[in-house]
Amino acid sequence: RLRASLQEKEVLLKEIHHRVKNNLQVISSLLNLQARTVTDGRVLELLRDSQNRVRSMALVHEKLYRSTDLGRIDLGEYARSLAGQLLRTYADQAGRVALRVEVAGCWVGIDTSVACGLILNELVSNALKHAFPDGRTGAIVIGLTAEGERLRLRVADDGVGFPAGVDFRATPSLGLQLVNSLVAQIDGAIALDRAAGTEFVITFPAA
């Protein structure tokens, strides 16, 4: 009876993740339909940003639905999937910006997964949008490694560099405000290196 009850709960959890994913995909589709009616470039960009955030959350529930562990996902595998999804979104840059993903297998819970997915979405999207203007070519690297009881997430590009004199911790950019808030949410720390392009490094507990 206990085994049957456990199996029933696992099926229900899978169904919940499946339904949440489907609902988020509906929201993404609605944003896409709305974007088709918009001619203002700035508004179109905001809708696309919102759509990418929704997709990043939907991908977490897709991974959990397909995982044998309903409480955790492989963050490295998730980062690869999300990177490919973003590159398809920004098709104009796909031909001239290489996106490399150097990740180790690191399993994390759903809350950390969602936070890291949104962080990656913002940092990679910013790099694709701003690091390579005027047809410039280059590369974006996503790195994920385990260092003892902490994980180290790195997003770096060799583009034009983060604007000098701009404090990424106090900026009107919604995306960077979201990144800082999410890093705090997972008890992490974030640092910016402007030495060669732009490199953000986030460290946070593995548990």
Side-chain angles (χ1 to χ4, degrees):
R1 287 198 299 270
L2 285 172
R3 188 177 294 111
S5 177
L6 179 60
Q7 289 175 342
E8 181 181 356
K9 286 180 172 60
E10 287 179 348
V11 170
L12 287 172
L13 278 173
K14 279 185 173 289
E15 181 62 21
I16 288 168
H17 287 306
H18 186 58
R19 291 191 181 191
V20 171
K21 179 209 70 171
N22 286 346
N23 287 338
L24 288 169
Q25 286 181 334
V26 168
I27 295 170
S28 176
S29 297
L30 289 172
L31 288 170
N32 187 51
L33 288 171
Q34 185 68 62
R36 293 180 184 178
T37 68
V38 171
T39 56
D40 186 304
R42 178 57 181 157
V43 174
L44 189 60
E45 182 180 333
L46 291 172
L47 285 171
R48 182 166 66 172
D49 288 345
S50 296
Q51 188 177 23
N52 285 337
R53 290 168 187 141
V54 171
R55 283 175 174 171
S56 76
M57 291 186 285
L59 187 57
V60 169
H61 291 281
E62 170 71 12
K63 295 293 182 185
L64 285 167
Y65 173 68
R66 297 185 180 281
S67 174
T68 55
D69 186 336
L70 295 176
R72 302 186 305 158
I73 66 170
D74 184 340
L75 187 56
E77 180 191 347
Y78 171 66
R80 288 185 189 279
S81 299
L82 182 60
Q85 186 171 279
L86 286 171
L87 202 57
R88 289 191 293 273
T89 299
Y90 295 93
D92 294 344
Q93 289 89 332
R96 53 188 176 82
V97 179
L99 183 54
R100 301 202 311 272
V101 184
E102 303 166 354
V103 296
C106 302
W107 290 78
V108 297
I110 181 171
D111 290 339
T112 302
S113 300
V114 170
C116 287
L118 287 168
I119 289 168
L120 278 172
N121 178 77
E122 299 305 324
L123 295 181
V124 175
S125 294
N126 280 349
L128 286 167
K129 288 190 291 185
H130 305 301
F132 307 100
D134 304 320
R136 180 175 176 139
T137 60
I140 300 170
V141 179
I142 298 173
L144 175 66
T145 55
E147 298 181 348
E149 296 182 352
R150 295 182 72 81
L151 300 180
R152 182 177 185 270
L153 180 63
R154 170 177 171 261
V155 179
D157 67 70
D158 58 0
V160 296
F162 197 85
V166 175
D167 182 359
F168 76 92
R169 300 180 192 276
T171 169
S173 164
L174 174 61
L176 288 176
Q177 289 178 28
L178 184 59
V179 167
N180 283 297
S181 177
L182 290 166
V183 169
Q185 181 180 305
I186 59 176
D187 297 322
I190 182 170
L192 169 62
D193 185 350
R194 292 182 170 95
T198 302
E199 179 182 55
F200 282 97
V201 176
I202 298 109
T203 59
F204 56 96

